[in-house]
Amino acid sequence: MTTFDQINGHSGWSNDVATATISPEGIITGWSEGARRLLGYPAPEVVGRPAADLVVTREPPAAGVTPAAPRAWGGTAVLRHRDGHRVQVILHAQPSLGDDGTTREFVITAPEGPAESENGRRMIEWTFAQSSIALTAYTIAPGAAAEGGGRVRAAGDGQTQDDSQTQDDSQTQDDSRAQDDEEFLRFVRRTAEEGTPRRYERFAPAPPSARQRAWSIELWPVRNPATAEVVGVGTATFDSSGHHTARRRLALLNEAGTRIGTTLNVTRTAQELADLVVPRLADFVSVDLLDSVTRGEEPIPGPVDAAVALRRVAHQSSAPEGVPEAAVDLGALDTYPPFSPPARALTSGRPVLSGTDDPDFSRWIAGHRARTARVQEYGFHSVMAVPLLARGITLGVAVLARAAGSEPYQQDDLILAEELAGRAAVGVDNARRYTRERTNALTLQRSLLPRDLPRQAAVEVAYRYLPAGMGAGVGGDWFDVVPLSGTRVALVVGDVVGHGIHASATMGRLRTAVRTLADVDLPPDELLTHLDDLVTHLTSDDDTVLRDEPYTGEIGATCLYAVYDPVSRVCTLASAGHIPPAVLLPDGSVSVVHLTPGPLLGVGGLPFESTELELPEGSLLALYTDGLIEARDHDVSLGLERLCEALASPVPSLEVTCDAIVKAMLPDSPADDVALLLARTRALHADQVAAWALPADPAIVADARAQTARQLKVWGLEEAAFVTELVVSELVTNAIRYGDVPIGLRLIRDRTLICEVSDASSTAPHLRRARTYDEGGRGLHMVAQLTQGWGTRQTPMGKTIWAEQTLPVS
């Protein structure tokens, strides 16, 4: 391994250098083997003698070099050999300091070979010193490169002279850094040992936002022409700061293409611009957007008025923590004075370079107390205000500032900032337009979903609806809770295939259709059959209307429809291609309901089947769309297992259960819409229901009224007896007159009082306007006037006519 001795800024092989140490009093205290070979004196003959005894003549030391104020010295000298002849050498003297900083001794070195002539030495120094590039030559003793070791020393130095530094300053920087930099020394060694040219680049330390000085150093082996032996290493140093700065700017622009606009979020895109330019182009940056842009609205084309209010959406600082330089908080509205650099950039549509030498800059800072304090504290002296322009629209302004310790901005900085701002503006505008379209779609979608679920007695419900993340359009997931007659309730979830406005519109049409069919009180399988026919018709209608549009007109949707009866505690379900629900029983067991799967809506021609499930009071039914359990990293079965685990976790309420399921199942930004509907079943006990079987005998009507009156008295509802007896009389009379046996009467007391009369006929009654002399036709009209509502539902055995009335206020 080749090693260097660093003496007085030069390098040499320590084994082949004549070395002596001399005390401050001039007495020789050490003598090397190289010194013996050079002058012939063995160490015992010279150690302890005055050094002046060996000197014939020498150059005087530089002014100020004394034992009291020692420093390195070099020059020529004529020394006396032991046999009497004179030896001309180049001496280098270096003081050796003790712990207290005083000089303990001087280390004197000299090469063993013959010294250059005075004229030759000075010619080399002058040539190197006056070179337009920094040159250094390292000499190697003959045979050293071949043997893998030897002696090297710097034969001469030169420097680079430029507009910003003097030659002396550059030489001091280049020499000290090159010789102190271990990496550079390794390059020199490898060039000497391997005999191949190399290139090395070094950089001067500088703040990230400042122009960094760079040097490109060429290293090549110097060979003896006669023997081709490597006898030295030559280096030439070129100032490559301009090329280095250009490469850094290109790298910043290239990085902007991958780091700015990664999301369709206005605020995030603005923050990405701020994060990119700090600290490489600015010590502080702020990004302000028109308030209309943050809402996704369309700004006015062209430059904007200087008095427009801007919202601070992003800022960044080179400070270790936070953004202490900011005079305006994130989210706050601010207005710039017309003469300020940001306002001038907004009104002109061009970037503005300003600083402390600009009177308008000083006026702007002085007019804002917080901004004045920040400028004084951090020493901001140079700013660039760059408008954010995209497609001829001004979206906002970015302000870049440099603080104390950084160089002022130049015109090339302004060009770079304008290019970066332009790329960010395109990303902001894309995000703005997406925000507008997404907001409109979400508004439509939410208007089609239930805002508040209706009150009913059958189940306690809670729900969550989560739109897809920013990368996907709005979807067609929906849910609903529909109160039915007889205190029953219908639970619905559905999912329209695809995303976008059309999916949301189709979802709204299907939800309306389901509510309409639910009002008819159809069983779940029959309801899905009618809904399937409707989707088929919608598909054909859309195909006709949208023939010239890119949309294909095809509609695909799934739906799960469940009806729960709190009297019988039976839930009847039917599915049209929808994933089955999960149920948590009161004993803590969780399972997925086994349903007979039906086809997707719109397929047509295939039947749907109902499944009945008896649910104990307090059972928890979970209906959901596929976005809750499906993901790219796992299949549906794993999602169902995770859902069952989350459903079984003990929680105090349904709302907390919803949140726990969403947290356990979904990422922060789900890839698909998610609808979750939880329903905890209630039950009506025997003391809330009274039922009688009636014969088809008109005389039984009076008995039915009497039974009703007695039951109302038991319930403490005597005030409702008159109306209820009248309703019972009319409905039972109609069943006996127009229906078939068996005939039944049922009263249900819950939040309302419900009277039901059933018979075996499927013929449904309807209201009609009775003429003056008609003997009938007034009964149902009277029932409709006296009750809160009435209706008919079909049953497997016939029909049931019901009437509902509010309970008397106690």
Side-chain angles (χ1 to χ4, degrees), residues 16 55 95 120 154 416 459 481 512 598 782 793 805:
D16 295 323
V55 179
L416 176 61
V459 292
V481 176
T512 302
M782 185 170 54
R793 69 173 180 268
Q805 55 184 311

Side-chain angles (χ1 to χ4, degrees), residues 111-146:
E112 293 184 32
E116 301 99 335
S117 66
E118 178 65 18
N119 291 338
R121 181 180 65 83
R122 295 195 179 276
M123 179 61 69
I124 293 175
E125 291 180 355
W126 295 340
T127 301
F128 276 44
Q130 298 174 27
S131 172
S132 60
I133 61 175
L135 297 173
T136 304
Y138 294 87
T139 61
I140 301 177

Side-chain angles (χ1 to χ4, degrees), residues 210-283:
R211 286 176 173 80
Q212 188 177 33
R213 294 293 305 276
W215 292 271
S216 179
I217 304 174
E218 299 284 344
L219 300 94
W220 66 93
V222 178
R223 300 179 183 273
N224 186 327
T227 62
E229 181 183 8
V230 176
V231 294
V233 176
T235 67
T237 304
F238 305 88
D239 189 343
S240 58
S241 301
H243 295 288
H244 177 63
T245 301
R247 290 198 303 269
R248 291 179 65 188
R249 294 180 184 276
L250 288 175
L252 188 61
L253 287 174
N254 183 62
E255 190 174 348
T258 58
R259 289 185 55 184
I260 298 179
T262 60
T263 66
L264 290 172
N265 182 281
V266 172
T267 302
R268 180 58 192 161
T269 302
Q271 188 62 51
E272 288 170 346
L273 171 63
D275 294 341
L276 179 69
V277 300
V278 174
R280 286 182 285 181
L281 190 59
D283 296 317

Side-chain angles (χ1 to χ4, degrees), residues 266-267 270-271 274 284-291 294 309-316 323-336 342 364 368 371 374 395-400:
V266 172
T267 302
Q271 188 62 51
F284 170 78
V285 62
S286 65
V287 182
D288 301 323
L289 298 180
L290 275 66
D291 198 32
T294 62
L310 299 172
R311 188 173 297 278
R312 176 67 53 84
V313 296
H315 53 212
Q316 188 55 275
V323 188
E325 302 94 334
V328 178
D329 295 332
L330 285 177
L333 285 173
D334 192 20
T335 302
Y336 290 107
W364 172 45
H368 193 285
R371 194 169 282 123
R374 300 298 188 277
L395 306 174
V397 62
V399 179
L400 294 80

Side-chain angles (χ1 to χ4, degrees), residues 337-350 352-354 358 360-361:
F339 53 82
S340 65
R344 286 153 50 193
L346 286 170
T347 55
S348 66
R350 296 191 300 271
V352 174
L353 177 61
S354 183
D358 182 0
D360 288 338
F361 174 83

Side-chain angles (χ1 to χ4, degrees), residues 368-679:
H368 193 285
R369 180 178 301 177
R371 194 169 282 123
T372 301
R374 300 298 188 277
V375 169
Q376 292 176 350
E377 181 178 359
Y378 297 100
F380 290 114
H381 57 84
S382 184
V383 298
M384 295 187 295
V386 188
L388 301 180
L389 301 173
R391 303 178 180 92
I393 298 174
T394 301
L395 306 174
V397 62
V399 179
L400 294 80
R402 281 182 174 170
S406 298
E407 299 176 357
Y409 285 118
Q410 306 296 330
Q411 284 298 323
D412 53 353
D413 295 316
L414 199 65
I415 296 173
L416 176 61
E418 186 176 16
E419 177 66 24
L420 293 174
R423 298 191 180 192
V426 173
V428 168
D429 193 50
N430 288 338
R432 176 195 64 80
R433 299 169 71 182
Y434 173 79
T435 300
R436 180 185 61 188
E437 297 300 325
R438 180 175 173 80
T439 301
N440 293 339
L442 286 175
T443 301
L444 170 63
Q445 185 183 45
R446 294 187 183 281
S447 68
L448 298 175
L449 290 171
R451 295 186 179 180
D452 296 312
L453 296 180
R455 295 183 60 188
Q456 41 74 41
V459 292
E460 176 191 0
V461 295
Y463 65 91
R464 292 292 183 272
Y465 179 81
L466 286 81
M470 298 297 290
V474 294
D477 295 18
W478 92 92
F479 65 94
D480 210 346
V481 176
V482 184
L484 301 177
S485 62
T487 67
R488 296 169 306 131
V489 66
L491 307 173
V492 192
V493 289
D495 185 4
V496 177
V497 177
H499 293 84
I501 292 291
H502 185 81
S504 296
T506 302
M507 175 269 289
R509 297 160 84 178
L510 294 182
R511 176 172 176 260
T512 302
V514 168
R515 292 190 68 92
T516 303
L517 294 172
D519 286 340
V520 183
D521 236 330
L522 296 176
D525 53 341
E526 292 187 25
L527 183 143
L528 292 182
T529 300
H530 287 283
L531 194 62
D532 181 54
D533 293 338
L534 174 64
V535 172
T536 302
H537 293 314
L538 290 177
T539 300
S540 60
D541 292 344
D542 286 349
D543 190 42
T544 301
V545 175
L546 302 175
R547 184 169 298 167
D548 297 331
E549 300 293 331
Y551 176 68
T552 62
E554 297 181 357
I555 297 177
T558 66
C559 182
L560 176 65
Y561 186 79
V563 175
Y564 174 69
D565 186 349
V567 177
S568 64
R569 304 175 189 179
V570 172
C571 183
T572 307
L573 309 94
S575 172
H578 201 85
I579 47 181
V583 60
L584 170 65
L585 298 179
D587 62 4
S589 60
V590 184
S591 61
V592 177
V593 179
H594 296 287
L595 297 179
T596 302
L600 269 69
L601 296 176
V603 174
L606 297 175
F608 299 93
E609 297 185 23
S610 294
T611 300
E612 289 190 351
L613 181 67
E614 186 172 351
L615 296 176
E617 183 179 5
S619 298
L620 182 58
L621 199 62
L623 289 74
Y624 48 89
T625 54
D626 56 1
L628 183 68
I629 61 172
E630 291 183 353
R632 295 180 180 178
D633 58 347
H634 63 259
D635 56 17
V636 175
S637 60
L638 180 58
L640 288 173
E641 291 179 5
R642 293 174 56 189
L643 173 62
C644 292
E645 293 175 359
L647 200 61
S649 301
V651 288
S653 67
L654 287 187
E655 294 293 335
V656 177
T657 303
C658 281
D659 293 336
I661 291 175
V662 168
K663 182 178 180 180
M665 302 292 295
L666 298 175
D668 294 335
S669 181
D672 193 9
D673 285 22
V674 174
L676 172 64
L677 178 63
L678 298 183

